[in-house]
Amino acid sequence: MHSEQFWDLIEQARIQAVDSCDADEVAAQATALLATREPQQILDAQQILWDLMATSYQAPLWAAAYLINGGCSDDGFDYFRGWLIAQGRTAFEQAVADADRLAKLPAVHAAAAEEMELEGEQSLSIAWDAYEKATGTDMPDDAFTINYPALDPAWDFDFGNHGEVAARLPQLAALYPQ
């Protein structure tokens, strides 16, 4: 499996999901689809997933997650990025390029209106669960590596400072006023 196939899998899962904005539902569909693949492809998908997690390990996205979810711990940021992956390739790539573009997503508008958090913890275990379903065994502990980049020091401020976040993410801040 390569990156294109992984994103195709996510897109198929989004199509099969009753609510394509529901990250847990997309993750369940992706797990079922991936479980039909060869074990090596599942292992490849695990590495691709964590490569995407490393790519999205960015301070602007963390600030966006903090704003959207009313706070964001380390684990919360992982779950937010899991949600973002479940939104599909276009949403993911646009948000990685410019976190403020999250404000254009209908799911973010709905979350703002309903005061809901955007998390996709189940997205992080798509490959793990698929491997177990396909093989009846746990995925090997060394199935993936992850190397998070350093966060941009220009974003080293308290994400609870709404004025600072609003200056950098104005479209999102407009959806989430103080």
Side-chain angles (χ1 to χ4, degrees):
M1 175 170 286
H2 53 73
S3 179
E4 291 289 329
Q5 291 171 317
F6 180 84
W7 283 120
D8 287 345
L9 178 89
I10 296 298
E11 190 55 36
Q12 286 179 310
R14 290 177 52 73
I15 290 167
Q16 290 181 7
V18 173
D19 179 359
S20 64
C21 292
D22 183 336
D24 288 341
E25 191 175 341
V26 173
Q29 293 294 331
T31 298
L33 290 167
L34 188 57
T36 65
R37 305 275 182 112
E38 294 295 320
Q40 184 56 53
Q41 289 185 315
I42 300 170
L43 293 173
D44 294 344
Q46 177 78 331
Q47 185 60 59
I48 292 165
L49 174 72
W50 288 98
D51 288 347
L52 293 171
M53 291 293 288
T55 297
S56 61
Y57 187 80
Q58 300 177 357
L61 277 176
W62 204 328
Y66 191 100
L67 184 63
I68 291 168
N69 289 341
C72 191
S73 66
D74 293 353
D75 287 347
F77 187 42
D78 284 347
Y79 305 155
F80 178 81
R81 289 177 294 138
W83 169 84
L84 183 56
I85 290 167
Q87 301 313 296
R89 184 178 193 165
T90 300
F92 178 86
E93 289 178 349
Q94 288 177 350
V96 166
D98 178 4
D100 206 28
R101 291 184 76 177
L102 286 164
K104 296 182 189 296
L105 295 178
V108 174
H109 280 267
E114 298 172 26
E115 298 182 7
M116 293 177 16
E117 291 186 9
L118 297 176
E119 297 184 333
E121 182 179 2
Q122 289 302 113
S123 298
L124 305 181
S125 62
I126 289 169
W128 183 272
D129 294 343
Y131 190 88
E132 186 176 291
K133 186 175 180 179
T135 67
T137 63
D138 286 343
M139 183 178 280
D141 291 335
D142 62 352
F144 71 98
T145 59
I146 187 163
N147 295 307
Y148 285 134
L151 294 171
D152 183 348
W155 286 76
D156 188 15
F157 62 89
D158 179 1
F159 294 154
N161 180 335
H162 193 270
E164 186 74 29
V165 173
R168 295 164 187 250
L169 302 171
Q171 294 175 63
L172 272 175
L175 292 175
Y176 293 90
Q178 276 187 315

